[in-house]
């Protein structure tokens, strides 16, 4: 069974540009969550999607957006990039409803560097 | 809002036992998970507590006390490979809204 796949693994962008990151969840998983990880702020929740609908949202500005497709694949977009957006962006998939387990499976992440 | 606090660093000796604490303040709380993350790697799930008490999975155990808004991860028979960061994560709401703790970097020394 393939794990969670995130592409690209590394990305370098310039301030002001926009970026789209992709996440393919484990087959059969319908919930996809996105997190930003930085040394100073730790793991911060961005948003969670289920059945193409955003169910939960963290405290990030509107420049951060996402969507989920009918095959459960998800993308997140960051517009007007700022230096502070440099981080590891992690995607996690899980079954939903929890079905007795809340285990989330994380991808290897996309390392975004804004210069 | 939600917050989960953990000690930032813990050092323990190989073969020993270490406890990593997590205190939380969260509304609509319904469970606590623990994740391990090695440097450069992705977080991996260790355990989940929905009810008060101890859950044991091999060398790792996790405890939850809802009345105290407190949980801990217990690692026994420490091995060098256990050196990693450990995160508690609070689940809230009716969906998969997960708030991660500040993380504890565990260093296992010979």
């Amino acid at each position: 069974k393939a794990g969670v796949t995130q592409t690209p693994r590394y990305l370098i962008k310039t301030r002001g540009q926009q970026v789209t990151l992709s996440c393919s969840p484990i087959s059969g998983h319908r919930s996809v969550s996105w997190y930003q990880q930085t040394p100073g702020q730790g793991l911060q929740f961005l948003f969670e999607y289920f059945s193409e609908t955003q169910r939960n949202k963290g405290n990030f500005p509107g420049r951060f957006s996402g969507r989920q497709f009918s095959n459960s694949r998800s993308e997140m977009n960051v517009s007007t990039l700022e230096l502070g957006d440099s981080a590891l962006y992690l995607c996690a998939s899980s079954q939903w409803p929890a079905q007795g387990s809340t285990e989330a499976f994380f991808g290897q992440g996309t390392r975004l560097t804004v210069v | 809002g939600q917050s989960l606090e953990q000690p930032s660093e813990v050092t323990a000796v190989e073969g020993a036992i270490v406890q990593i604490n997590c205190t939380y303040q969260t509304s609509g709380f319904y469970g606590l998970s623990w994740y391990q993350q090695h440097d450069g790697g992705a977080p991996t799930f260790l355990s989940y507590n929905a009810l008060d008490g101890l859950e044991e999975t091999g060398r790792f155990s996790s405890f939850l006390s809802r009345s105290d808004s407190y949980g801990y991860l217990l690692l026994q028979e420490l091995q060098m490979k256990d050196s990693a960061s450990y995160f508690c994560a609070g689940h809230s709401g009716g969906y998969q809204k997960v708030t991660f703790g500040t993380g504890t970097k565990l260093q296992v020394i010979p």
Side-chain angles (χ1 to χ4, degrees), chain B:
Chain B
Q2 302 181 50
S3 68
L4 295 94
E5 295 294 325
Q6 303 175 236
S8 58
E9 294 181 354
V10 172
T11 300
V13 177
E14 188 177 16
I17 299 173
V18 71
Q19 178 174 312
I20 299 173
N21 298 321
C22 173
T23 56
Y24 62 86
Q25 292 184 327
T26 182
S27 57
F29 174 87
Y30 68 85
L32 193 72
S33 291
W34 287 90
Y35 285 82
Q36 177 193 62
Q37 185 179 28
H38 286 98
D39 284 348
T44 56
F45 175 84
L46 293 175
S47 67
Y48 173 70
N49 294 69
L51 304 175
D52 284 1
L54 194 68
E55 293 281 342
E56 298 181 70
T57 309
R59 294 188 297 114
F60 294 1
S61 302
S62 57
F63 173 83
L64 177 65
S65 169
R66 288 173 167 271
S67 58
D68 296 322
S69 297
Y70 164 75
Y72 66 72
L73 179 69
L74 193 72
L75 294 81
Q76 304 181 71
E77 301 172 18
L78 280 172
Q79 301 175 8
M80 299 300 290
K81 68 178 182 179
D82 296 330
S83 293
S85 292
Y86 292 84
F87 295 88
C88 58
H91 297 256
S92 62
Y95 303 98
Q96 296 276 32
K97 182 164 187 178
V98 181
T99 302
F100 278 81
T102 49
T104 299
K105 191 170 181 65
L106 170 65
Q107 183 181 13
V108 181
I109 58 176

Side-chain angles (χ1 to χ4, degrees), chain A residues 2-61:
Chain A
V4 178
T5 304
Q6 290 189 246
T7 56
R9 289 292 312 277
Y10 302 92
L11 206 48
I12 300 176
K13 288 286 189 178
T14 305
R15 275 182 301 174
Q17 287 187 311
Q18 67 94 28
V19 67
T20 299
L21 312 181
S22 179
C23 172
S24 293
I26 290 172
S27 177
H29 286 191
R30 298 169 66 188
S31 173
V32 174
S33 300
W34 288 90
Y35 297 86
Q36 181 194 66
Q37 187 171 31
T38 59
Q41 298 295 319
L43 265 163
Q44 292 192 287
F45 174 79
L46 280 155
F47 25 66
E48 184 256 341
Y49 286 87
F50 175 77
S51 289
E52 303 177 64
T53 302
Q54 186 181 92
R55 300 284 186 168
N56 289 288
K57 190 178 190 310
N59 297 322
F60 278 82

